[in-house]
Amino acid sequence: MDNETIKAHLLEIEESKLDFTVTLTGKESKRVNGLYKPETREILLHNKNFQDDNELMYTAIHEYTHHLINEKAIEEANGKEPLKQSRVHNTEFWARFHSLLDIAEEKGFYKMDMTVSPELEKLTSEIKTEYLEANGKLMVAFGKKLAEAHRLCEEAHVRYEDYLDRVLRLPRTAAASITKVSVVPVNPALGFENMKLISSIKESEDRAKAEEMLSNGKSAETVRELMKRKSKGEDDQKERLEKEKNRLTKTISELEHRLEIVEEHLASL
C-alpha cells in the first residue's frame, strides 16, 4: 500500500477539508508506530513496524484522528492555530478513533478478525464469561455486603468512613462505586468497569441507551463522550433559560417601577 492509497482510504472513511500528507518513512521505530505533525499536517507511518496492511491502516486511522481533531480545533479558533492540548489522547480522541475504525471495518479497509485464531476466540470467550461477567456478579454481591455493613455501622454508632479507611482499608470512592453497581441494575456480562460507567448515569433512559451501546460493541470512551455531549447540551440549555429568566425578571421589575410612576401621576390628577 502506498501513500496515495492510504490517503484515499482515510478520506473515504471521513472527509477532511484541511489538506494533509501521508508518508511511509521506510523506517522501523521502537518508540512509536506513527506520528502526526499538526503544524505541517503530516502523517508519518513507520511501515517497517508492521507485518501487514491491516496493522498499517490501524495506525494510519489513529494518526488521521489527530488530524481531524486538529481540523475541528482550527475551525473553532476561526482559522487560527489552536493551542496545544496537554492531553491529546483524551476521551474525545478515543471516541472519534473508535468511530472511524467502525467505518473502516464497514468499508473493508480494516478488520478485527479473530476467526483466524481459534485459540484467541476460545480465550476471549473464557475471559468474558469466567472473568468479566463473574467479576461483575461478584462486585454486585460485594456492593450489597458493603450496604449491609453501612447499616450495621450506623446501628453500632461506628463511623462507616473510619470502618472503610482503617478496617477494610478500602478507598471510599471505590466503596461508593461498588455499592452503586449493586443498586442500579446493570448486565454483569459488561464487566465491572462498564457497570460503574452505566451506574454513574443519572437518567434510567440514558443508562439503558449506554448499556445497549456497550452490548453492541461500542467502546466505553464512545459512551462517555456521548454522555458528556448530552450533559454539555443540558448545561447550555440551563444557561440559556437562566439568562432568559434574568432578562424577564429585569423587565418585570422595570415595568412595575413604571406602573408605580403612572399610578402616582394618575392619583395627582
Side-chain angles (χ1 to χ4, degrees):
M1 197 180 300
D2 59 23
N3 298 335
E4 292 307 314
T5 302
I6 296 168
K7 182 176 180 178
H9 285 347
L10 295 175
L11 287 169
E12 195 170 337
I13 293 169
E14 184 170 327
E15 281 288 336
S16 172
K17 295 177 183 178
L18 187 66
D19 194 26
F20 64 98
T21 60
V22 175
T23 302
L24 296 172
T25 65
K27 298 177 182 178
E28 181 180 356
S29 171
K30 292 182 179 179
R31 291 180 63 251
V32 292
N33 290 322
L35 184 68
Y36 175 66
K37 295 185 175 181
E39 299 83 5
T40 54
R41 331 287 194 237
E42 291 178 274
I43 292 176
L44 303 177
L45 302 170
H46 300 311
N47 47 301
K48 287 197 174 179
N49 281 25
F50 313 116
Q51 295 183 16
D52 57 26
D53 287 346
N54 200 51
E55 291 183 358
L56 174 63
M57 279 305 299
Y58 178 87
T59 299
I61 295 167
H62 179 110
E63 302 308 334
Y64 187 52
T65 306
H66 286 302
H67 173 74
L68 292 173
I69 289 176
N70 185 48
E71 178 179 25
K72 177 187 172 186
I74 290 173
E75 288 175 355
E76 290 175 348
N78 297 318
K80 297 178 182 178
E81 288 297 320
L83 296 173
K84 289 185 179 180
Q85 295 182 339
S86 57
R87 283 185 64 230
V88 292
H89 292 133
N90 52 20
T91 304
E92 179 189 6
F93 172 85
W94 291 116
R96 188 78 176 270
F97 177 44
H98 293 155
S99 175
L100 295 178
L101 286 176
D102 288 340
I103 298 169
E105 283 192 283
E106 290 171 8
K107 293 182 176 292
F109 299 149
Y110 173 74
K111 61 182 179 181
M112 168 67 80
D113 186 9
M114 293 189 296
T115 60
V116 296
S117 173
E119 293 86 359
L120 179 59
E121 280 193 297
K122 181 175 180 295
L123 179 61
T124 301
S125 177
E126 206 176 296
I127 290 171
K128 285 184 175 181
T129 306
E130 297 182 24
Y131 295 89
L132 285 176
E133 185 172 359
N135 185 53
K137 290 177 179 178
L138 181 65
M139 297 309 272
V140 169
F142 187 8
K144 290 177 180 178
K145 293 297 182 184
L146 286 175
E148 185 180 354
H150 194 170
R151 178 181 63 80
L152 292 173
C153 280
E154 288 183 341
E155 289 179 2
H157 304 290
V158 171
R159 288 290 300 184
Y160 179 61
E161 295 84 357
D162 194 23
Y163 172 75
L164 290 175
D165 294 343
R166 297 193 301 129
V167 177
L168 296 185
R169 292 181 291 280
L170 181 68
R172 298 181 192 184
T173 52
S177 297
I178 295 166
T179 305
K180 203 165 189 177
V181 299
S182 71
V183 176
V184 179
V186 185
N187 182 3
L190 294 174
F192 178 58
E193 291 302 320
N194 287 327
M195 292 169 74
K196 282 199 299 183
L197 170 60
I198 293 171
S199 66
S200 69
I201 299 170
K202 293 180 181 179
E203 302 295 330
S204 59
E205 187 177 331
D206 291 338
R207 285 199 301 271
K209 184 176 181 180
E211 185 168 340
E212 183 182 3
M213 289 176 69
L214 289 167
S215 298
N216 291 334
K218 296 297 182 186
S219 68
E221 289 81 5
T222 301
V223 173
R224 283 194 186 93
E225 186 64 17
L226 180 68
M227 293 301 112
K228 189 169 76 172
R229 288 177 188 173
K230 186 179 186 301
S231 175
K232 187 176 185 298
E234 289 173 349
D235 290 343
D236 289 345
Q237 183 182 18
K238 182 180 179 182
E239 187 178 348
R240 285 195 301 272
L241 289 172
E242 285 179 345
K243 284 182 179 179
E244 184 178 1
K245 176 188 173 183
N246 292 336
R247 187 173 65 252
L248 290 171
T249 301
K250 183 178 179 182
T251 301
I252 291 169
S253 177
E254 290 174 348
L255 288 172
E256 287 176 342
H257 179 63
R258 177 61 185 163
L259 179 60
E260 288 177 5
I261 294 173
V262 171
E263 286 176 340
E264 286 176 4
H265 278 298
L266 284 171
S268 64
L269 293 176

